[in-house]
Every structure is written in structure tokens, then in C-alpha cells.
Amino acid sequence: MSPAIALPARVRLVDVGPRDGLQNEKGDVPAEVKVALIGMLADAGLPGIEATSFVSPKWVPQMADAAEVMSRIRRKAGVTYSVLVPNLKGLEGALAAKADEVVVFAAASEAFSQRNINCSIAESIERFRPVVRAALDAGVRVRGAISVALGCPYQGEVPPAAVGEVARRMVDIGVQHCGVADTIGVGTPNATKRAMEAALAAYPLDEVSGHFHDTYGQALANVYACLELGIATFDASVAGLGGCPYAKGATGNVATEDVVYLLHGLGIDTGVDLGRLRAAGRYVCGRLGRPTNSRVARALDAKEGMAT
Ligand code: HMG
Ligand code: MG
């Protein structure tokens, strides 16, 4: 038998549901629902919440209420409220809204970069350079996300070297954290490890995270693969909400409830109260008028005789 691998004792989860989840809704989601959801996630013990994005409302109208949402949330001490920003205009909005952290997002494929942010990878890095500098000058932390790190809807396969190259460019411009994203949920564990290792060549272990959409049902296996590498930060989305408007057919992120259940089952501490998290999921699904995508929430609801 091979020696047991020591998994991290504690994992930090960032719930991206209010942003990655709700950016993909067809109908209008009132700001008050977003605000209530963010409050419930904070009360459930999530240490990080991606609250909204300051992007062009022409591109993503669902996030047009970013300033209103940020002004109405009740901030809980110790919780990091982050927002996506694609350019300096977005950063202005984020700073005015007193976001704790901003997320710049680049792609590991040229085709996706053009579709998602209307520029090449190199241009996106140059666009981020002043954004990162201004954020750091203002004392705001900067995370980076690398989209389509495990496959691209337009280009197909994405080599780990492409992920490593974007990670290096992000380090160069001062991005403090590197999130490796499987936007279309096609990755499997060994491929995930290779992409993560490419990012780890540029970033230390505690500044690399995984962001897995669950389109092909591989996300939990990919989280486990990351744990084996010692990675201890993950994005996830309450009730498995979400997708990306520029990745057709891609489903939501892995459900936070499912990741919490996995981690707690492994004896890994998250600080998250699964019961309260399920309540947040029930609330938002009720308001969206659809069932949860969390297998764990469905199973526990059925066990407890609750309608889902
Ligand atoms: P563009 O059209 O090339 O930019 O878009 P532009 O500078 O020509 O601006 C167009 C219009 O938008 C202008 O308005 C700007 O003022 C306005 P007009 O003059 O025509 O009235 N504008 C803005 N308004 C508010 N806030 C802003 C902003 N910027 C411009 N920040 C741009 C380029 C990058 C702006 C656009 O492509 C964009 O906003 N893209 C965002 C796409 C997006 O949000 N995608 C989803 C998030 S990424 C994701 O989900 C992946 C992730 O989850 C990881 C993963 O799973 O892969 C993170
Ligand atoms: Mg995403």
C-alpha cells in the first residue's frame, strides 16, 4: 500500500454563487435577493464571498446592480467580500463600493479571451497591469482567475503550459493569488493536477485555488485531486448555481454544500455550518423557482422529508 497522503487540515471556501451563479440567470434577480443571499452565506460561516462584478452592463446585464448590492450588504467581520473587475472602470466601482478584494480574470485560450473580455490574453494582462497597481495602492487584495484552464469551448484542449504562462504573467503584474478555473467542467483529476502544478510553478501553495464547474460531474474528484497536492482554497457555489454567459452549456460551479460534505467527511475543517448553508441554498432556489443542484442538499432534504 502506498503511504497515506496528508490532506490539508483546514480549507478556505469562497462562495461565488452571488456572482458566478447569478450572472447566468435569464430572468431578473432583484438586488434584495442578492443581498439576502450574501448575508445568509456570511452567517453560514463562509470566509469569502464573491459578491458581484463591476463589468460592462452591456455584456452582463445581470450584474448591473453591483454598486447597489455592495452598498446594501451587511458586512460581517472576518469575511472577505470580493468582486470581479475587468478594467480600470470596474476597479473604480469596486473601490467606491469598498470591496475587500478584486478579481481580475484572464483566459488560458485566445479564443475564450476574445469572447469573454474582447481582447487577446496579452492585451488582457496589459489592461490588468494598472488595475492591479491601483488596487494594491489602495490596500485592496488582488486575486486572478485563469479561465478555461482545463479545456476551452472554442479551442478544445488547453495545455498545462498555457496555464503556467498566464500564471507567470499574473505574478509579473503583481496579482497575489491564482485561481485555476475549469470553466466548462471537462477536467478529470490527473489533468487537473497538471494544470495546478503549472500554476504552482509561479505561485506558492497557499495562493493557488481551484474553481470547478461541474458540467461533467468531475468537480468533487478534481477538488480531491487538489487536496492531494496540498491545495486548500476552493471556489464553490451555493446550490451549484451558475455558469458563464460566454461558455454555452457549461453548468454551475460545484455546489458548496457538496464540497463542505466531502471536506467534513474527510475530517477537514471549513468553518461552514452545513445546515445554515443549506438554508441559504433553499432560499435562493425558492426565489429563482427551481430545485437545487446540490446532491447533498437534495439527499438531506429527502432524508428529512423536506420538499426541494
Ligand atoms: P468592450 O465592449 O471591449 O469595452 O468590453 P469598452 O471599453 O468598449 O466598453 C463598452 C461599454 O461598456 C462602454 O459603454 C463602457 O463605458 C462600458 P458605452 O460607452 O458604450 O456606453 N464599460 C463598463 N461599464 C461598467 N463597468 C465596467 C465597464 N467597462 C466598460 N467595468 C469588457 C470589454 C471587458 C468591459 C467587457 O467584455 C466585459 O465587461 N466583459 C465581462 C464578461 C464577464 O463578466 N464574463 C463573466 C465573468 S468571467 C467568469 O465567469 C469566469 C470565472 O468564473 C472563472 C471561470 O469559471 O472561468 C471568473
Ligand atoms: Mg466560473
Side-chain angles (χ1 to χ4, degrees):
M1 226 168 77
S2 55
I5 298 163
L7 303 181
R10 190 175 172 85
V11 156
R12 177 182 170 80
L13 293 177
V14 177
D15 200 296
V16 298
R19 194 281 303 169
D20 203 340
L22 299 183
Q23 77 180 8
N24 212 39
E25 281 303 311
K26 300 270 178 297
D28 274 352
V29 181
E32 69 176 73
V33 172
K34 299 175 178 177
V35 169
L37 175 63
I38 292 167
M40 293 178 87
L41 292 171
D43 288 341
L46 265 306
I49 300 173
E50 211 163 271
T52 184
S53 48
F54 286 86
V55 296
S56 168
K58 292 193 173 136
W59 285 63
V60 185
Q62 294 89 336
M63 296 284 112
D65 58 3
E68 182 187 352
V69 169
M70 288 301 284
S71 73
R72 288 176 59 184
I73 55 174
R74 172 183 46 81
R75 314 240 179 167
K76 189 176 164 197
V79 176
T80 301
Y81 296 89
S82 46
V83 302
L84 249 64
V85 297
N87 52 20
L88 274 170
K89 182 163 182 160
L91 181 71
E92 274 168 34
L95 294 181
K98 301 207 168 0
D100 300 310
E101 181 178 75
V102 294
V103 182
V104 292
F105 47 109
S109 96
E110 288 295 347
F112 192 81
S113 186
Q114 290 293 348
R115 299 292 211 296
N116 196 35
I117 47 178
N118 206 20
C119 62
S120 69
I121 297 170
E123 283 164 350
S124 72
I125 298 293
E126 285 318 308
R127 195 184 274 174
F128 297 149
R129 192 186 292 278
V131 174
V132 176
R133 196 177 308 129
L136 296 178
D137 285 349
V140 170
R141 206 177 125 78
V142 183
R143 274 163 72 101
I146 305 180
S147 289
V148 295
L150 285 148
C152 169
Y154 310 108
Q155 174 189 300
E157 229 167 276
V158 173
V163 177
E165 178 57 27
V166 178
R168 265 189 303 282
R169 293 192 199 189
M170 282 189 171
V171 166
D172 280 351
I173 61 167
V175 175
Q176 293 161 298
H177 177 99
C178 179
V180 176
D182 186 2
T183 314
I184 54 171
V186 288
T188 46
N190 287 344
T192 298
K193 281 185 171 169
R194 287 193 290 273
M196 291 294 167
E197 280 161 352
L200 286 167
Y203 279 89
L205 197 51
D206 57 357
E207 293 297 359
V208 171
S209 59
H211 173 113
F212 301 114
H213 288 259
D214 202 24
T215 319
Y216 286 74
Q218 304 299 302
L220 282 182
N222 294 337
V223 168
Y224 193 85
C226 290
L227 294 172
E228 288 187 330
L229 293 179
I231 290 167
T233 308
F234 298 96
D235 293 349
S237 175
V238 63
L241 299 175
C244 174
Y246 299 98
K248 288 244 169 319
T251 63
N253 289 86
V254 62
T256 315
E257 296 91 323
D258 297 6
V259 179
V260 167
Y261 182 88
L262 170 74
L263 295 173
H264 291 183
L266 290 166
I268 297 172
D269 184 19
T270 63
V272 176
D273 178 318
L274 183 55
R276 287 185 164 203
L277 178 61
R278 284 170 60 207
R282 261 197 307 277
Y283 166 76
V284 70
C285 288
R287 295 306 297 258
L288 299 176
R290 77 154 86 104
T292 181
N293 287 321
S294 160
R295 301 282 293 265
V296 165
R298 275 208 299 272
L300 292 174
D301 286 353
K303 187 171 146 192
E304 292 164 16
M306 281 183 200
T308 48

